[in-house]
Amino acid sequence: MICDTDPELGGAVQLMGLLRTLIDPENMLAPTNKTEKTEFLSFFYKFCMHVLTAPLLANTAEEKSVKDGVVGPPKIGAVCPDNFQTAQLLALILELLTFCVEHHTYHIKNYIMNKDLLRRVLVLMNSKHTFLALCALRFMRRIIGLKDEFYNRYIIKGNLFEPVINALLDNGTRYNLLNSAIIELFEFIKVEDIKSLIAHIVDNFYKALESIEYVQTFKGLKTRYEQEKDRQSQRLNRYRRDARAMEDDEEMWFNEDDDEEGEAVPPIEKSKPDDEFPDNYGKFIEAIKVKESEDKENLPKRTSSGSFKFTFTHSAAAANGANGANSKSVGSPPSPASPNSSSAKSTNSPATAMTKAGLVGLVDYPDDEEEEEEE
């Protein structure tokens, strides 16, 4: 493909199509061993890629100054003259490299970084053949289209937008394919909001692009840049506050905590001395014994007649006192000088007997009566 003597490079175009089909991972059959694809691509990049890119690297060789030996920027060299046949061959090589960027993400990335390939390709933006400059721009567009920060850092570090912007400014106000392709590249960066590239473009090239007003792409990049800068400043202000304000807020916070704790936590009572414990314990045991004795006295007792007799300590005495008073009021005559005092006493005795009998035999069960009849 490289050594094709045909001025139109008919054979080189066909060979490029075959090579593209060969290295396409989608056309590779699924092998039993999944590492065969990786091994094949590793073999291709190790032993074949340098042969494929040899014309490209030769035409973009670094120029060395004979006087002081300072290495200058890469440019189109004199090894292969910038004629139509060479430009067409380089365009075929760039087309194949663009395909590799899309399908061979890992291998082509390492190759581009090691060879600084994008910088060498962008030298072709200065070619007098527009189609070759478009091929170089398409190669960069595929790389940016991956939105890989590894590529973005490589572009920023190498300041690789400079040849693209120089080509745009050299094109002037001419509305052609090169102009539209470059503007589409920056429009993609704006729409996809690739922050690192936007910041790099605005910081380094906005003054040169500010005069372009027939499209709003570059003003949009500036707007995106300012919006992102405002967001970052707000985020920093959220965490970076005045030191005195922070101290005041902390003091208020601690004061609020103290107030809440003072309201919520009741005062702790002082514990009684240990000397009082035995006295309290003895009183507690005596109270329990008294209660148990009262409960025993209040239990019903079975009499000889079979009925149960209830005895009360305090309530029964009070009831007896009340019944005695009632009996006295009922049995006493209207005049104290009544001669029949003995009859009054005799009438009082049945009442007292009734009250006493009323305390006996409050519960009477039929079974007890049957037992008495049998006896």
Side-chain angles (χ1 to χ4, degrees):
M1 184 179 75
I2 297 172
C3 301
D4 189 6
T5 57
D6 185 4
E8 299 294 332
L9 296 179
V13 173
Q14 294 179 359
L15 291 174
M16 192 274 296
L18 292 175
L19 186 59
R20 178 176 176 173
T21 304
L22 181 63
I23 62 176
D24 188 357
E26 296 180 358
N27 294 330
M28 299 179 185
L29 297 176
T32 55
N33 187 3
K34 295 182 179 180
T35 60
E36 289 184 5
K37 289 183 180 180
T38 305
E39 291 176 356
F40 173 76
L41 292 176
S42 299
F43 175 83
F44 175 78
Y45 278 90
K46 186 176 181 180
F47 297 103
C48 305
M49 181 60 81
H50 68 281
V51 179
L52 179 65
T53 57
L56 175 64
L57 298 177
N59 280 273
T60 57
E62 294 178 349
E63 183 185 48
K64 294 183 179 180
S65 176
V66 179
K67 295 181 179 180
D68 51 6
V70 178
V71 178
K75 68 175 187 177
I76 298 176
V79 178
C80 298
D82 189 15
N83 53 27
F84 179 77
Q85 185 176 358
T86 304
Q88 192 172 3
L89 177 61
L90 296 177
L92 292 175
I93 295 172
L94 286 175
E95 185 177 352
L96 192 60
L97 291 175
T98 304
F99 176 82
C100 293
V101 168
E102 293 184 41
H103 295 86
H104 304 162
T105 55
Y106 172 73
H107 295 86
I108 191 64
K109 183 189 294 186
N110 291 333
Y111 190 82
I112 290 172
M113 300 299 169
N114 293 330
K115 298 292 184 180
D116 197 12
L117 190 61
L118 182 58
R119 182 188 300 277
R120 308 291 286 272
V121 169
L122 290 176
V123 173
L124 300 177
M125 294 291 296
N126 298 323
S127 176
K128 65 180 182 181
H129 301 285
T130 305
F131 70 91
L132 184 58
L134 289 171
C135 289
L137 184 63
R138 190 183 303 116
F139 180 72
M140 185 178 185
R141 173 66 175 80
R142 289 291 184 275
I143 291 176
I144 295 175
L146 296 176
K147 295 186 287 186
D148 188 346
E149 282 299 320
F150 195 76
Y151 278 127
N152 294 341
R153 289 193 295 269
Y154 166 68
I155 293 171
I156 293 170
K157 185 177 180 180
N159 196 24
L160 299 181
F161 275 108
E162 184 178 359
V164 178
I165 292 174
N166 289 336
L168 177 64
L169 297 176
D170 293 340
N171 189 64
T173 57
R174 288 176 292 179
Y175 185 71
N176 53 18
L177 189 58
L178 181 62
N179 180 275
S180 299
I182 295 174
I183 291 175
E184 191 276 334
L185 173 65
F186 291 106
E187 185 70 23
F188 175 80
I189 295 172
K190 184 192 77 172
V191 171
E192 295 297 327
D193 196 15
I194 305 175
K195 296 179 176 58
S196 58
L197 296 182
I198 290 174
H200 174 70
I201 293 168
V202 173
D203 289 338
N204 296 279
F205 305 105
Y206 184 72
K207 291 182 179 179
L209 301 172
E210 190 176 6
S211 60
I212 300 176
E213 297 181 351
Y214 57 89
V215 289
Q216 301 298 318
T217 301
F218 303 105
K219 290 184 178 180
L221 289 173
K222 178 70 172 178
T223 303
R224 288 291 180 91
Y225 173 75
E226 291 176 351
Q227 290 175 353
E228 180 63 22
K229 198 171 182 180
D230 293 339
R231 282 195 292 268
Q232 291 179 358
S233 62
Q234 290 176 2
R235 193 178 298 114
L236 291 175
N237 291 332
R238 186 180 304 171
Y239 297 104
R240 290 182 181 178
R241 301 172 62 184
D242 185 33
R244 182 59 186 168
M246 288 291 292
E247 292 177 359
D248 295 340
D249 292 343
E250 290 177 357
E251 290 178 0
M252 291 175 63
W253 185 75
F254 284 116
N255 292 332
E256 290 177 358
D257 288 347
D258 294 338
D259 295 339
E260 291 177 358
E261 291 177 359
E263 294 177 359
V265 180
I268 300 174
E269 296 181 355
K270 294 183 179 179
S271 60
K272 295 181 179 180
D274 296 337
D275 298 338
E276 297 180 2
F277 177 72
D279 298 336
N280 295 332
Y281 181 72
K283 293 179 181 180
F284 177 72
I285 296 299
E286 291 178 0
I288 291 175
K289 290 180 180 180
V290 171
K291 188 175 181 182
E292 289 178 354
S293 61
E294 289 178 357
D295 293 339
K296 288 180 181 180
E297 292 177 359
N298 293 333
L299 291 176
K301 296 180 180 180
R302 190 180 184 90
T303 60
S304 59
S305 61
S307 60
F308 289 90
K309 182 179 180 180
F310 290 88
T311 59
F312 299 94
T313 58
H314 301 286
S315 61
N320 289 333
N323 291 332
N326 292 332
S327 61
K328 288 179 181 180
S329 63
V330 172
S332 62
S335 61
S338 175
N340 298 327
S341 59
S342 61
S343 62
K345 291 180 180 179
S346 63
T347 55
N348 290 334
S349 60
T352 56
M354 288 177 65
T355 57
K356 290 180 180 179
L359 297 174
V360 179
L362 296 177
V363 180
D364 195 4
Y365 296 97
D367 295 337
D368 297 335
E369 294 178 358
E370 291 178 358
E371 290 176 0
E372 291 177 357
E373 290 177 357
E374 288 178 358
E375 289 177 357

